[in-house]
């Protein structure tokens, strides 16, 4: 039975990191919530308990440094917004250096107790097997990477076959500023302009024959991660890991993602590259580029080492490394509006990892936003969007609009889940980073740190203003 309030309840489906935070945010404004969680009735391949907000793997919320780390900034913004997930994490912290790590059982128990004892929250243990009925006029789907199959099928039927991914083939993403443009050059293959393009849409890294052979050898020898039991899905040819392609034959990559055709090295036009690695702009800001066709199962350490063999990427900084694992997520940039509502279905929002963010904290933060947006609509107000300069806003922008959708590879989905990182934030205003007094040389690492600090400070200031603090 719904607990007492004059408002009609908002339904939240999924009591993981995102759903728990969404429910809390809603109830704290005086609007009742019905939280539908299937564990207790039906489990997933990764969860072990029936507790709400269970951490399925690591117990770390990553860096808690709000002065120069993007996830630390997100922590701080969530605390400012009264997050239950952060309150419970802080109360169950275990020593982990600069990271915020938690006692996982204590953490989930704290979240579960807070939600179950809240006067406006009703937790029902049931699997929701289809899209919410129309009479749930405000609902949030937060069923995560392991969304139960019948709901996943219903989402797919509503949004289209290409709109739901079950497998996450992730290519590494590089901070543009770390690419050596004295070696690389901008050019689209055959200078093709394409819709919205300029003919110079890719960053190209050239390799000679010896470099290519050494690279293929390194890929084949690289350490790979094994699939977990629950990841029993076979590869499909559209997203073969790069090292699997390398194993299929020495020439495979040169005729696949590393083909040199249609490209002329701007620094050395008379010498034809033997192979070329291409990077494509990943966000509207142009601060991130992804490595085209480089989805991989190599271990993170091996990836960084091997990909830095690529000419021009010797000092590459990775916003995320590649991976391949089971993950249910929708093509949010085309399906959701700016306040996370499914286009064409007013009142139905998505939150958490299913929207294409990645990680405990990111998922919870998108739950926090979805909860606030749903409450605004319940109270007949327009949802207030966080400024894009905040960690909340940067992540929301990645999910709902900042990502560049590739149109030169029809049929391929290019939107991939991502952790929060400074590459998602808009650049600082000119002059925002000033040389500290007494410092003669101000470049390289010092300047990069100063930029992060200024971006973090701007985010926290803008977030406080947005929240009216
Ligand atoms: C194996 C694995 C390991 C991971 N390791 C990490 C890690 O180490 N660090 C990290 O930051 N992130 C990790 N992740 C990602 C992690 O799952 C997310 O960061 C986070 O849990 C996502 O939060 P969420 O609320 O979107 O989904 P979840 O936390 O998974 O919550 C979704 C909830 O919805 C419920 N549910 C699903 N379908 C239905 C339905 N039809 N009806 C009712 N309830 C339903 C589920 O039981 C679950 O409780 C991992 C993911 C997986 C699958």
């Amino acid at each position: 039975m719904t607990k007492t309030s004059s408002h009609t309840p908002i339904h939240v489906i999924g009591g993981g990191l995102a759903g728990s935070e969404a429910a809390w945010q809603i109830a704290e404004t005086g609007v009742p919530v019905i939280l539908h969680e299937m564990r207790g009735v039906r489990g997933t391949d990764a969860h072990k308990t029936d507790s709400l907000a269970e951490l399925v793997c690591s117990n770390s919320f990553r860096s808690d440094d709000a002065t120069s780390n993007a996830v630390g900034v997100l922590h701080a913004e969530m605390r400012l917004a009264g997050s239950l997930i952060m309150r419970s994490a802080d109360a169950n912290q275990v020593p982990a250096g600069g990271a915020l790590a938690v006692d996982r059982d204590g953490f989930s128990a704290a979240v579960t107790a807070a939600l179950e004892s809240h006067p406006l929250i009703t937790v029902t243990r049931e699997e929701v097997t289809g899209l919410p009925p129309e009479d749930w006029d405000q609902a949030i789907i937060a069923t995560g990477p392991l969304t139960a199959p019948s709901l996943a099928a219903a989402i797919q039927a509503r949004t289209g076959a290409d709109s739901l991914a079950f497998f996450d083939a992730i290519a590494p993403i590089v901070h543009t500023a770390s690419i050596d443009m004295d070696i690389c050059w901008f050019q689209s293959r055959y200078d093709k302009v394409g819709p919205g393009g300029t003919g110079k849409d890719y960053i190209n890294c050239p390799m000679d024959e010896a470099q290519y052979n050494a690279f293929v050898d390194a890929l084949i020898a690289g350490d790979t991660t094994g699939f977990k039991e629950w990841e029993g899905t076979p590869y499909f040819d559209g997203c073969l890991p790069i090292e699997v392609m390398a194993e299929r034959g020495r020439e495979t990559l040169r005729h696949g993602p590393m083909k040199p055709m249609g490209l002329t090295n701007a620094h050395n036009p008379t010498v034809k590259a033997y192979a070329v690695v291409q990077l494509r702009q990943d966000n509207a800001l142009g601060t991130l580029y992804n490595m085209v066709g480089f989805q991989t199962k190599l271990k993170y350490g091996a990836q960084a080492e091997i990909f830095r063999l690529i000419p021009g990427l010797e000092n590459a900084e990775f916003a995320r490394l590649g991976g391949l694992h089971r993950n249910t997520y929708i093509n949010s940039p085309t399906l959701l509006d700016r306040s996370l509502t499914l286009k064409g279905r007013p009142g139905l929002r998505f939150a958490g990892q299913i929207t294409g963010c990645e990680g405990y904290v990111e998922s919870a933060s998108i739950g926090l936003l979805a909860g606030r947006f749903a409450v605004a609509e319940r109270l007949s107000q327009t949802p207030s969007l966080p400024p894009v300069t905040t960690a909340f806003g940067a992540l929301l922008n990645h999910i709902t609009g900042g990502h560049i959708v590739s149109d030169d590879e029809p049929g391929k989905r290019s939107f991939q889940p991502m952790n929060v990182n400074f590459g998602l934030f808009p650049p600082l205003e000119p002059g925002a980073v000033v040389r500290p007094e007494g410092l003669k040389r101000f470049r390289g690492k010092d300047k990069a740190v100063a930029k992060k600090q200024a971006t973090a400070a701007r985010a926290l200031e803008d977030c406080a203003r947005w929240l009216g603090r």
Side-chain angles (χ1 to χ4, degrees), residues 13-20 36-39 42-44 46-47 51-60 62 126-130 142-152 228 230-231 325-326 351-354 357-364 419:
I13 307 169
L17 276 296
S20 296
H36 308 259
E37 169 53 54
M38 72 176 184
R39 282 177 294 117
R42 178 187 180 132
T44 78
H47 291 85
S51 299
L52 300 172
E54 178 183 333
L55 304 178
V56 287
C57 191
S58 135
N59 66 333
S60 174
R62 316 200 310 279
E126 63 178 0
E127 178 186 353
V128 175
T129 54
T143 44
L146 304 171
T147 295
S150 50
L151 177 57
K228 299 209 179 68
W230 55 271
E231 291 174 317
H325 59 92
R326 199 185 136 202
Q353 186 140 329
I354 198 169
C357 59
E358 177 134 331
Y360 301 143
V361 185
E362 287 84 344
S363 298
N419 290 121

Side-chain angles (χ1 to χ4, degrees), residues 197-222:
T198 63
K200 292 183 186 293
D201 300 327
Y202 289 77
I203 293 179
N204 300 282
C205 313
M207 276 189 190
D208 63 24
E209 187 172 355
Q211 287 166 332
Y212 175 77
N213 282 323
F215 183 66
V216 170
D217 289 340
L219 280 177
I220 294 171

Side-chain angles (χ1 to χ4, degrees), residues 125-198:
R125 298 287 181 165
E126 63 178 0
E127 178 186 353
V128 175
T129 54
L131 286 185
E134 296 283 344
D135 62 334
W136 295 7
D137 70 326
Q138 286 291 333
I140 298 172
I141 296 180
T143 44
L146 304 171
T147 295
S150 50
L151 177 57
I155 295 168
Q156 193 170 32
R158 175 70 170 74
T159 56
D162 292 342
S163 295
L164 191 70
F166 294 100
F167 223 79
D168 192 359
I170 308 162
I173 295 175
V174 180
H175 288 277
T176 317
S178 68
I179 301 173
D180 186 348
M181 294 309 293
D182 289 337
I183 295 177
C184 306
W185 74 99
F186 282 102
Q187 187 186 9
S188 304
R189 209 179 287 285
Y190 299 110
D191 302 308
K192 206 172 125 197
V193 176
T198 63

Side-chain angles (χ1 to χ4, degrees), residues 9-26:
I10 295 174
H11 294 261
V12 177
I13 307 169
L17 276 296
S20 296
E21 185 66 57
W24 179 256
Q25 293 287 326
I26 296 166

